Amino acid sequence: MEQPCSRCPLIGDRICRLSRVKGRLISIRPALIRSLSAVALLLAGVLALCCGRYPLSPSRVVVVLGRLLHLWGGSDPIADAIVWQVRLPRALAGLLVGSALSCGGATFQAVLRNPLVSPDLLGVLSGSAFGAALVIVLGGSPALIQIGAFCGGLTAVSSGLSVSRLLPQGGLLTLLMGGLIANAVFTALLSLVKYTADPMDQLPAVVNWLLGTLSQTGWTELSWLTVPVLVLVMVLVLLAPLLDVLSLGDDEARSLGVSVQVMRPVVILLATLVCAMTISMAGIIGWVGLLVPHVARMLAGAEHRNMMPVCALLGAAGLILADTVARSLTSGEVPLGIMTELFGALAFVLVLRRLRGESV
Amino acid sequence: MTEVFLSCDAVTLKRAGRAAVLDGITLTFRRGELVGLLGLNGAGKSTLLRILMGLLKPASGTVHLEGRLLSSFRSADVARRLAYVPQGHAAVFPYTVRRMVELGRVPHHGIAGQLGKEDQRKVDAALERLGLCALADRPVTELSGGERQRVVLARALAQEAVGLLLDEPMTGLDYGHQVRLMGLLAELASEGHLVFLTSHRPEEFFSSGSRALVLDQGHIVADGPPEQIVTAERLSRLYGVPLAQIDHAGKRFFHHEENT
């Protein structure tokens, strides 16, 4: 029921009604953007399964997938091996890592009220890097390296949060200082581990791990991490409306009945948990957590309820594409971390140009 | 006389190594009052407001809301009774004006709850009352400071709280909007809201306000009807500048008194 805008002191009734019609049209947009992002993810998946040093046609990939699902019989051992053992696990890993880092990044940006923040601000990357490097130097198995990375990331962020609680007056600034201190300590510890590592075999292994890649991810890792990562991403997407409130000032959020002191650390820990899981799976993959939330915000608007699903879908699509390019570009393989750093930084210039243009 | 809605008793706040910011402040507020709080920069006006909102714990003393200790309320229950308009709102993310106002419904439907038709109607009403309909789909980051201030006020209205606590709400508003806002606040008080604002401009609430308070060196040094409190003599003493007053058509104006 339209209410006449009799109380607007500035504008007439007709403009007010027109603005409501416009508002309704705008409200359809998020669903459209979400659908298009889902299509983009699907296309990226198909592309990832088809492209590579041994190209497969989409129809051949569909036949292989059907056979894997026991929908029909037949035999194509080469295509089966490529899709099942190499490309499908990598695409799934890309989906998990991309969506997790993007949603984690968007969450960090919202709760720290800074759109230029990425998940590493509170120390999750330096902590994970230290954990993984330590296990590599101690001669641990790949599974132990993953556990080391995961625990390192969580320890770094937890110690940052604890330090921030020790500082007087609380609030956002002390949180950032806590993160700064945790980052510094764990970066120093990583350097120490690198310094003591055997330069012949351990140091290259540490450096390789730090570059980030999906090539080591197989069905074993996926069987452990798929469910927890997807559940955490879903939780972050469901918490999206809370992010709108947490991104206001502390006093404003509390005056709306939201307990900032409790909710902020909880949300940070959830985002850290999901980022640490992906780092343990793929190593350090930069820029995704910073860039994708901006792209999602540009397409779907700033409201987290609308942008978080788009962020998850685009992050997944983007990382699958980046990984496909990384393994198809040369006869060897460019580590994915290098690809995302390079293209992420370049793409961010475009995003910043657009953002600056809007703010003028 | 209506019953006390909000009160504080012997509220004291000290900062290390400094004189008490607030020293034994005791005040009561009722529905329908439009109260203005005057004081120098750093006198503790915002601090008192934050303590009354439950955003800051006093070193000693208590705050009561509807006769119950404020600290015994759940934060969402406080938010359904008291709304807060902070001094200056720095928007980081470009939420639409409508979304910002919708956040005022969070205390009622929770974080995850969907806005119902009734909620939407209240959001629309708040947008209309502040003249924000045409801006509803604009990002708040593109608005001027004054427009943003109106958005935060609309959010407070959508919150449907009886008590409205505003920290220097006129900051950044052009003269027209200052006059309109004061009219709106007087209207809200006449509808039964408690409106409590801090201000640096005593003329603002002289004609519309029902009560003026002066906070100086941690104490409430004056409390009463604006015509008795907002006088040239008191303001000259408070601000340390010689002022003269001119009363005209139920309003009071101040000017710098030179050569005295």
Side-chain angles (χ1 to χ4, degrees), chain A residues 7 16 20 244 247 251-252, chain B residues 50 95 128 133 155 187:
Chain A
R7 308 190 83 145
C16 195
R20 282 200 200 135
D244 288 354
S247 67
D251 278 356
E252 278 184 84
Chain B
R50 293 182 70 220
Y95 301 126
E128 281 173 12
C133 290
R155 189 181 70 203
E187 209 176 289

Side-chain angles (χ1 to χ4, degrees), chain B residues 6 23 33 37 48 51 59-60 63 102 107 109 135 140 142 147 152 157 183 205 211 218 223 229 232 260:
Chain B
L6 180 67
D23 193 2
E33 281 189 307
L37 176 64
L48 178 58
I51 287 175
S60 64
V63 179
E102 279 176 6
H109 66 71
L135 303 177
V140 281
E142 288 178 10
E147 287 168 332
V152 180
L157 290 190
F205 56 85
R211 183 175 162 198
D223 179 356
I229 304 299
T260 52

Side-chain angles (χ1 to χ4, degrees), chain A residues 3-5 7-11 16 19-20 22-23 26 109-110 113 115 241-245 247-248 251-252 254-258 297 302-305, chain B residues 50 53-55 75-76 79 82 84 86 89 92-95 99-100 102-104 106-107 111 124 128-129 131 133-134 137 150 152 155 159 177 180 187:
Chain A
Q3 295 285 325
C5 188
R7 308 190 83 145
C8 281
L10 294 179
I11 57 167
C16 195
S19 76
R20 282 200 200 135
K22 192 179 152 209
I26 285 174
Q109 289 176 3
R113 292 207 295 276
L242 174 67
L243 297 181
D244 288 354
V245 182
S247 67
L248 302 174
D251 278 356
E252 278 184 84
R254 288 172 65 197
S255 75
L256 293 173
V258 172
R297 231 173 262 131
E303 196 180 320
H304 287 88
R305 195 171 39 187
Chain B
R50 293 182 70 220
M53 275 298 303
L55 299 172
S75 48
L82 291 176
Y84 175 60
H89 165 83
V92 178
F93 295 101
Y95 301 126
R99 177 58 184 160
M100 280 297 284
E102 279 176 6
L103 291 179
V106 166
I111 281 291
D124 284 342
E128 281 173 12
R129 206 158 184 185
C133 290
D137 299 310
R150 277 156 58 205
V152 180
R155 189 181 70 203
Q159 218 170 315
H177 278 113
R180 284 189 198 100
E187 209 176 289

Side-chain angles (χ1 to χ4, degrees), chain B residues 8 11 13 21-22 25-27 29 37 43-54 56 63 165 196 198 213 215 220:
Chain B
C8 62
V11 161
L13 189 88
V21 181
L22 301 173
I25 304 276
T26 298
L27 288 167
F29 302 99
L37 176 64
K45 300 189 295 296
S46 303
T47 306
L48 178 58
L49 211 72
R50 293 182 70 220
I51 287 175
L52 290 172
M53 275 298 303
L56 190 66
V63 179
L165 280 67
F196 180 44
T198 67
L213 306 171
L215 180 64
I220 295 291

